[in-house]
Amino acid sequence: MLNARDAAARGAAIATRTKVTSARREGGLWVLDQTCGRSGSASTIRTRALVNAAGPWVAEVLTGALRSNSKARVRQVQGSHIIVPKLFDHDRAYIFQNADGRIIFAIPYEEDFTLIGTTDQDYHADPAKVAITPAEIDYLCAAASEYFARPVMPRDVVWTYSGVRPLYDDGASEAKAATRDYVFEMEAPTGEAPLLSIFGGKITTYRRLAEEALERLHGTLAQTAGKAAGWTAQEVLPGGAFHAGGTSDLADAFRREHPFLAPAEALRLARSYGLDARAWLGTAQTRADLGRDFGAGLSEAEIRYLMAYEWAENADDVLWRRSKLGLHMTAAERDAVRHAMDEWSGKGA
Ligand SMILES: Cc1cc2nc3c(=O)[nH]c(=O)nc-3n(C[C@H](O)[C@H](O)[C@H](O)COP(=O)(O)OP(=O)(O)OC[C@H]3O[C@@H](n4cnc5c(N)ncnc54)[C@H](O)[C@@H]3O)c2cc1C
């Protein structure tokens, strides 16, 4: 999200929920047809280069929309996590060696919970529909129970989430052994617009990956004005221009400016938004100044900010994707967010 906001601030057009349906090379350019999932409207854009960073869908986009005959293959490996009420009272993480040669972790999560992950299993269905299986829940509970004094039981699980790692298929026999390195595949026929496809990757190495992608496309794209190659190392993401490790200090500052904020609330805002929380906290001196209170510290002002600046469109975006506040709310409170957002976006009855 912060990368999208950063790119938008530097002039990028961000088109959420918009699918590239087909693309072809024409006169040294790529011509892309795209469809907006919201309105259903179709549009066409022309580019000098195309980067296919469709994650788990990279191969599908490559051979489908882009009609490439590339032989590159993705190995889809499911990874799932469970969230349980907190198992320990400090802020450090555990890494446990599991008997099958893998490791699992237990990390303090959203103040009141512990996050336990992950699994590694081949996945052959639609990545958009991935969900934890009962066998994965059992595996994570059993692995954590080897180490904690009190066993972790499937009935303790309050929430789960899963993802699909789009690993480059290097022919490894076991999912856990497939390479975690990112792999580029470049197609640049002479005189034609290039196509760069990205397989794999990690959040921890995304800037290096992006810089390397631009090095590969050097000469095709205009350089960012005034920026030398490899300029991202010292750049902070939006809201992050405070000293490293300074979230507690920032939370203290928020509490001085807005005395009604509880310590845990102020810390969440500092961690989630950094300095940008001030964009919607404004000059508020009471909770009522932030509009309607939806519970768990979520205010109307925060939701409206997420809708205006972080492309949030529905309650799931706000409660689970931009935050994990859904964990701290009742079903009725989550429904209230849903109804309010429908009303504000004109979808309400
Ligand atoms: C279980 C699991 C655990 C992980 N753990 C770690 C970790 O501990 N540390 C770490 O650094 N990384 C980790 N990762 C990796 C990290 O999550 C990914 O590297 C990162 O999210 C990839 O981001 P991305 O933007 O490249 O791809 P994605 O976030 O997958 O985005 C791809 C986008 O392409 C879009 N798309 C698909 N088809 C089309 C189309 N036709 N037109 C337009 N758009 C399209 C999709 O909608 C999607 O939004 C983990 C991943 C998983 C699954």
Side-chain angles (χ1 to χ4, degrees), residues 18-20 53-57 61 79 81 163-165 201-204:
T18 302
K19 182 173 186 174
V20 172
W57 294 270
V61 168
H81 308 76
V164 174
R165 306 177 182 89
K202 284 265 160 194
I203 294 171
T204 38

Side-chain angles (χ1 to χ4, degrees), residues 18-21 53-58 60-61 65 77-81 105 118-119 161-166 198 200-205:
T18 302
K19 182 173 186 174
V20 172
T21 51
W57 294 270
V58 58
E60 184 188 312
V61 168
V77 177
Q78 173 170 2
S80 298
H81 308 76
F105 55 73
T118 68
T119 56
Y161 66 91
S162 297
V164 174
R165 306 177 182 89
I198 299 171
K202 284 265 160 194
I203 294 171
T204 38
T205 48

Side-chain angles (χ1 to χ4, degrees), residues 72-296:
R73 292 204 313 136
V74 168
R75 181 162 187 172
Q76 296 192 158
V77 177
Q78 173 170 2
S80 298
H81 308 76
I82 55 173
I83 286 116
V84 297
K86 79 174 165 186
L87 298 173
F88 49 89
D89 247 330
H90 57 73
D91 64 358
R92 276 145 291 160
Y94 291 98
I95 295 178
F96 299 135
Q97 179 67 61
N98 205 22
D100 60 4
R102 300 186 63 256
I103 54 112
I104 63 151
F105 55 73
I107 306 178
Y109 195 67
E110 301 290 317
E111 292 292 322
D112 302 327
F113 303 93
T114 301
L115 170 71
I116 301 173
T118 68
T119 56
D120 257 312
Q121 60 179 29
D122 283 311
Y123 181 77
H124 303 289
D126 178 359
K129 302 214 166 82
V130 68
I132 197 165
T133 62
E136 287 180 297
I137 293 179
D138 288 345
Y139 171 87
L140 291 172
C141 287
S145 298
E146 286 280 319
Y147 289 90
F148 286 108
R150 194 169 58 81
V152 180
M153 307 301 285
R155 65 169 176 272
D156 299 331
V157 174
V158 294
W159 195 61
T160 68
Y161 66 91
S162 297
V164 174
R165 306 177 182 89
L167 306 181
Y168 188 76
D169 192 350
D170 58 0
S173 55
E174 284 189 280
K176 69 182 183 193
T179 180
R180 259 55 174 171
D181 280 348
Y182 61 78
V183 174
F184 285 158
E185 192 187 76
M186 181 84 158
E187 281 178 31
T190 315
E192 304 267 25
L195 165 65
L196 178 65
S197 295
I198 299 171
F199 296 80
K202 284 265 160 194
I203 294 171
T204 38
T205 48
Y206 80 89
R207 287 192 174 191
R208 185 68 204 105
L209 182 157
E211 287 181 352
E212 201 177 324
L214 285 184
E215 282 159 24
R216 293 287 195 96
L217 294 168
H218 183 74
T220 314
L221 298 173
Q223 295 300 301
T224 312
K227 298 283 189 192
W231 57 272
T232 69
Q234 302 304 322
E235 295 287 325
V236 294
L237 289 165
F242 57 95
H243 67 276
T247 38
S248 320
D249 292 347
L250 189 58
D252 291 345
F254 288 163
R255 291 197 71 216
R256 283 194 297 277
E257 293 158 22
H258 312 280
F260 61 92
L261 291 175
E265 249 178 304
L267 193 59
R268 176 181 76 82
L269 300 185
R271 286 181 54 220
S272 302
Y273 300 97
L275 298 170
D276 284 357
R278 290 192 172 119
W280 54 269
L281 284 169
T283 55
Q285 289 304 302
T286 66
R287 204 168 285 280
D289 292 338
L290 297 177
R292 192 169 155 192
D293 180 359
F294 288 89

